[in-house]
Amino acid sequence: MPEPIYVLVRFVLIFIEVLSFAMMIRAILGWLTDGSGKFMQFLYVLTEPAIMPIRKLLVKMNWLQDSPIDFAFTLTFFALMFVEMLLSSFV
């Protein structure tokens, strides 16, 4: 694999790992706190741009609207894990 592509893939993998970690922290703190702290706002700003496209798609398709589980969050997390597995096979 050419070096520039390797560096790009590694950068994307690191980004996905950081984003996944931030999503896990957001989920755990969301269960334990009221979600109004500055750190929770930071996690929201960091993770919501990745979640928003799937959230908009679910709203547009009118899927899973009345569910107590945030499926957009869950689907985004699994999509990130899937992309990470695919990219890891190239490295």
Side-chain angles (χ1 to χ4, degrees):
M1 174 182 296
E3 187 173 338
I5 294 175
Y6 175 79
V7 171
L8 179 65
V9 169
R10 289 298 305 160
F11 176 77
V12 171
L13 284 171
I14 291 170
F15 177 76
I16 289 173
E17 288 177 19
V18 169
L19 186 59
S20 299
F21 186 68
M23 289 178 71
M24 288 302 297
I25 292 173
R26 176 181 165 182
I28 292 169
L29 288 179
W31 293 330
L32 300 176
T33 66
D34 62 354
S36 63
K38 289 196 182 284
F39 187 64
M40 280 297 290
Q41 290 175 355
F42 170 73
L43 289 174
Y44 182 82
V45 168
L46 184 67
T47 58
E48 197 60 28
I51 300 168
M52 190 55 65
I54 294 178
R55 189 179 314 278
K56 285 182 180 180
L57 178 66
L58 292 177
V59 168
K60 187 176 185 178
M61 300 299 240
N62 201 17
W63 291 344
L64 308 168
Q65 294 299 310
D66 298 326
S67 175
I69 298 172
D70 187 0
F71 277 102
F73 185 93
T74 307
L75 291 173
T76 302
F77 186 78
F78 286 133
L80 287 172
M81 294 298 102
F82 180 72
V83 170
E84 183 178 15
M85 286 187 332
L86 283 176
L87 289 177
S88 294
S89 66
F90 291 117
V91 176

